[in-house]
Amino acid sequence: MNSIWELETFYRKRDIIIIGAGFSGLWTAISIKEKYPDQSVLVIERNTIPLGASTRNAGFACFGSLTEIIADSRKMGWEKTLELVAMRFAGLQRIRQYFKSDEIDFELNGGYEILSNEEPLQYLDTVNEKLKSITGLDKTYYADQEKIKEFGLGKSPFLIENPCEGSLHSGKLLQKLLEKCYELKVEFLFGTSVKRIDETKDEIHVQLSEDLSVTADQIIYCTNAFTGQFLKEEEIIPARGQIILTEPIDGLKLRGTFHYDEGFYYFRNLGNRILLGGGRNQDFKTEETTAFETTEFLQNHLENFLKEVILPDQKFKIALRWSGIMAMGTEKTPIVKQISERQFCAVRLSGMGVALAPKIGEIVAEMI
């Protein structure tokens, strides 16, 4: 049994409980405390550090590549696509307002996309026209053949540049968000699993173990790919992203963040190393999982991609391999809504959590 001291402090009743301490959970906590400083907010996280996709991603500060935006517009129509791009763009701006570049290793080196054929180029003007009101640029995307050689991407036929994108250090961003939360008096229970949630007329009971629960007036699920255990009826498909990181490479020419094949492949320089992830479209079914593993098939596939596309004729060694879990659906629109009288969710960020979470936090703060 717990002591009176524990029950009256760490496990006391709160106004709001947030489940999940990833990007969306932390930005939501910050937005709520800034809007309602007197509300008590508790964040419950089952891992010892934020996990999921937040600390296991590739550190891209991006809002969408040309072919991805074309594909999305065909699937969801322009209105929803632009709404999403605007949200990501605004989210990246918010990160830069909050934190100095050197605090989170933010680098605005540009976003690039390798194209294997020129078909998408015919949509350049249309897409640029549509994005003008979001980025404020006449040309958000433009072909930049000169840089193919400069970056050592000799085998790639076409390169599209987008000057508004960059990269950051996901771990440092999360640490900064945690610092901001502590400053705003947000409280945390790390290494704590939620067994079940019961809603009554008067409050929410969050059961942590057989004999321990915390109550709140409202609860917000920021559990992204792991939401299935709480909200059975929402369409959330987990998507594992596998990543490899090389040892330092002498004279590395690559600078910036790169996409290929509608964003299914993504790579960047991390100093003088290459970080490469993706390829789950080679094995969709296996990668629809919440297991943090890497597979021999995809790891070999990524190494071949490194050999053939990114570092042709160069030797490299792999230093690290890892995977992160994203949440997808048939559409890329996130699920941000009220589920019942006292329950809300902000989930399914389709691999764009870094950019989307700051805005999603604001939307949730308006809702509660």
Side-chain angles (χ1 to χ4, degrees):
M1 291 299 283
N2 294 87
S3 72
I4 185 72
W5 320 127
E6 292 165 320
L7 295 172
E8 289 187 354
T9 52
F10 301 102
Y11 300 115
R12 73 185 188 282
K13 184 179 176 180
R14 306 307 203 287
D15 295 315
I16 294 159
I17 288 177
I18 295 170
I19 303 183
F23 288 131
S24 48
L26 298 183
W27 279 111
T28 298
I30 290 168
S31 299
I32 290 170
K33 286 297 275 187
E34 287 182 335
K35 194 170 162 63
Y36 309 105
D38 297 337
Q39 293 279 299
S40 55
V41 176
L42 172 69
V43 180
I44 301 177
E45 167 60 53
R46 68 175 180 177
N47 298 292
T48 46
I49 58 166
L51 215 59
S54 296
T55 50
R56 292 292 182 90
N57 56 29
F60 277 48
C62 292
F63 55 84
S65 67
L66 177 67
T67 60
E68 188 183 351
I69 288 173
I70 295 167
D72 289 350
S73 70
R74 287 175 183 158
K75 200 167 187 179
M76 332 192 284
W78 274 112
E79 193 183 338
K80 278 185 177 175
T81 301
L82 292 174
E83 211 174 287
L84 209 49
V85 172
M87 209 163 146
R88 296 168 183 163
F89 188 79
L92 294 177
Q93 302 303 320
R94 191 167 182 219
I95 292 171
R96 297 185 68 193
Q97 283 158 11
Y98 268 72
F99 306 112
K100 296 190 187 81
S101 293
D102 61 350
E103 292 180 317
I104 55 171
D105 295 357
F106 181 85
E107 289 182 2
L108 194 64
N109 278 335
Y112 300 89
E113 180 170 22
I114 297 173
L115 301 179
S116 46
N117 62 59
E118 54 189 309
E119 200 252 343
L121 297 175
Q122 65 195 45
Y123 299 98
L124 261 181
D125 293 343
T126 311
V127 175
N128 281 333
E129 193 51 47
K130 302 259 186 207
L131 290 193
K132 211 168 159 174
S133 60
I134 298 171
T135 62
L137 297 178
D138 285 333
K139 289 186 176 175
T140 303
Y141 301 101
Y142 47 86
D144 194 346
Q145 300 304 88
E146 298 296 301
K147 288 198 173 163
I148 292 176
K149 206 167 169 192
E150 190 185 313
F151 289 145
L153 296 167
K155 296 196 175 163
S156 309
F158 302 98
L159 191 69
I160 298 285
E161 182 169 354
N162 161 6
C164 315
E165 294 189 330
S167 56
L168 49 76
H169 190 304
S170 303
K172 289 184 181 179
L173 175 56
L174 276 159
Q175 276 194 321
K176 282 286 160 202
L177 287 168
L178 283 169
E179 282 174 25
K180 185 85 192 149
C181 284
Y182 293 133
E183 199 183 295
L184 293 167
K185 303 279 190 283
V186 174
E187 296 173 278
F188 289 87
L189 288 176
F190 277 105
T192 305
S193 285
V194 173
K195 298 287 178 271
R196 62 163 207 281
I197 311 274
D198 300 310
E199 181 173 349
T200 65
K201 190 165 65 62
D202 304 312
E203 56 194 9
I204 286 269
H205 292 267
V206 181
Q207 204 67 39
L208 305 177
S209 66
E210 276 312 300
D211 53 4
L212 183 62
S213 67
V214 193
T215 56
D217 289 329
Q218 295 175 312
I219 190 166
I220 304 159
Y221 300 95
C222 292
T223 39
N224 207 28
F226 301 88
T227 306
Q229 67 186 89
F230 302 116
L231 312 176
K232 301 274 187 274
E233 60 292 337
E234 300 300 336
E235 191 221 11
I236 292 165
I237 304 161
R240 179 168 61 195
Q242 297 192 34
I243 290 175
I244 54 180
L245 177 70
T246 69
E247 297 279 4
I249 293 162
D250 287 339
L252 182 67
K253 297 172 175 171
L254 205 71
R255 283 278 170 277
T257 53
F258 295 77
H259 285 99
Y260 173 72
D261 191 11
E262 290 178 22
F264 278 115
Y265 294 82
Y266 39 92
F267 58 97
R268 58 173 281 201
N269 70 298
L270 185 61
N272 59 351
R273 305 197 276 183
I274 293 275
L275 190 157
L276 162 68
R280 67 189 175 85
N281 54 339
Q282 302 296 316
D283 193 7
F284 269 132
K285 270 286 157 260
T286 310
E287 298 309 301
E288 279 183 14
T289 175
T290 54
F292 288 100
E293 286 159 4
T294 57
T295 62
E296 196 180 345
F297 168 75
L298 259 188
Q299 290 290 311
N300 289 340
H301 180 73
L302 289 174
E303 283 190 44
N304 278 331
F305 189 87
L306 253 181
K307 262 191 208 95
E308 286 164 24
V309 180
I310 309 173
L311 298 167
D313 319 318
Q314 259 182 296
K315 283 196 168 64
F316 60 83
K317 268 201 183 115
I318 305 299
L320 279 179
R321 306 172 190 272
W322 71 85
S323 66
I325 313 289
M326 306 169 280
M328 303 292 176
T330 42
E331 275 205 352
K332 285 197 182 162
T333 312
I335 303 173
V336 185
K337 66 179 188 184
Q338 184 162 1
I339 304 158
S340 68
E341 187 62 32
R342 300 178 177 277
Q343 302 187 49
F344 300 80
C345 74
V347 297
R348 201 178 74 185
L349 306 193
S350 304
M352 281 279 188
V354 171
L356 283 176
K359 291 313 284 179
I360 281 174
E362 288 179 0
I363 295 166
V364 178
E366 292 294 328
M367 264 184 199
I368 59 164

